[in-house]
Amino acid sequence: MPLSFPIIDPVAISIGPFAIRWYALAYVAGLLGGWFYAKRLAAKADLWGGLRQPKPIDVDDLIVWVALGVVLGGRVGYVLFYNLASYLSHPLEIFAIWRGGMSFHGGFLGAVLAIVLFARSRGLNPLAMLDMAAVVTPIGLFFGRIANFINGELWGRPAPDFPYAVVFPHAGPEPRHPSQLYEALGEGLILFIVMAFAARRFGFRRPGLLGGIFVLGYAVARIVCEFFREPDAQLGFLFGSSVQALSGGITMGMLLSVPMALVGAGFIVMAARGYTRPSKTVEAA
């Protein structure tokens, strides 16, 4: 017997014409949670191994840069990767962010660019700052996927025999995998635990190592979850529906995650071998 979708108003708070949606609160919760955790990480001298530590004001300012990078990159990524033809026909829709349409991979690239530019402007090690961001990012991923479930969007593939399948209100009568919750678990909670353990074990003494672990871990979690997630309607399965991978079709999410996994593995190897470690003169500067 499939589970009934819990009807939750996507608007969390409404005062007259002013409305705050759960999705917006998820972004706020992710940023605030990441900011609080990042400040704690920045204050622990033993994690930095001689690298210049960011000051509390640096972390405060970095959050603003990252927020802008995520929003701008996420929107541009969605337009380019998922619905380019439609937006070329209606270019003003690109700016209608309140109607939805954000890409994690685009937001990830936007955040990376923002962090690198910020680090260079403050004389901080860019890879170490990316490492710190990598440790806290799963917090935002967790809340974001929960918000996806509340909105009843990005639902899973049909699963008529799965006892915990859910009938989503806008996905037809078929019971489906609650893939948003799978992603909240894999990309959010599990990856958060992995990154917290890695941060305690390795610190930021090998710039790029924690970032590599995060990128590889996210890519693997995303590819696994894509086997349960319905592909975007405007794209479907890539390269034709006959292409199969472990009995699941190839999706855009899978395709974009493959280079992420390779880049993550590459940074892990380079950091472990000491290639990303700055010289003593740079550290002392």
Side-chain angles (χ1 to χ4, degrees), residues 4-16:
S4 298
F5 180 77
I7 303 300
I8 304 174
D9 191 337
V11 176
I13 303 172
S14 179
I15 304 175

Side-chain angles (χ1 to χ4, degrees), residues 16-192:
F18 181 72
I20 300 178
R21 296 179 175 271
W22 287 108
Y23 203 73
L25 290 179
Y27 268 83
V28 172
L31 287 171
L32 289 179
W35 168 74
F36 176 77
Y37 191 16
K39 295 198 79 166
R40 294 189 61 184
L41 293 170
K44 294 183 176 181
D46 60 309
L47 296 179
W48 294 86
L51 293 176
R52 181 180 175 185
Q53 292 176 245
K55 301 175 182 178
I57 187 64
D58 291 328
V59 179
D60 295 342
D61 293 342
L62 178 60
I63 291 299
V64 178
W65 286 59
V66 170
L68 290 174
V70 167
V71 173
L72 294 177
R75 186 58 171 176
V76 171
Y78 182 80
V79 171
L80 293 178
F81 300 147
Y82 290 93
N83 218 354
L84 181 59
S86 175
Y87 285 110
L88 288 178
S89 301
H90 305 87
L92 292 180
E93 290 293 315
I94 294 174
F95 305 100
I97 297 178
W98 57 89
R99 296 182 183 175
M102 298 289 283
S103 162
F104 168 82
H105 296 88
F108 170 77
L109 293 176
V112 167
L113 178 60
I115 292 169
V116 169
L117 293 176
F118 176 84
R120 291 190 177 279
S121 71
R122 299 295 174 92
L124 299 167
N125 185 288
L127 287 178
M129 295 302 291
L130 288 170
D131 286 341
M132 185 176 70
V135 177
V136 306
T137 295
I139 299 173
L141 293 175
F142 174 81
F143 285 113
R145 294 311 184 190
I146 294 297
N148 290 148
F149 181 78
I150 291 174
N151 288 345
E153 61 190 6
L154 305 182
W155 50 73
R157 302 186 193 184
D161 299 323
F162 183 55
Y164 300 105
V166 175
V167 177
F168 291 94
H170 304 298
E174 287 185 292
R176 295 176 176 272
H177 284 288
S179 57
Q180 312 96 323
L181 300 184
Y182 302 168
E183 292 189 78
L185 177 64
E187 303 164 10
L189 182 58
I190 293 176
L191 192 53
F192 174 80

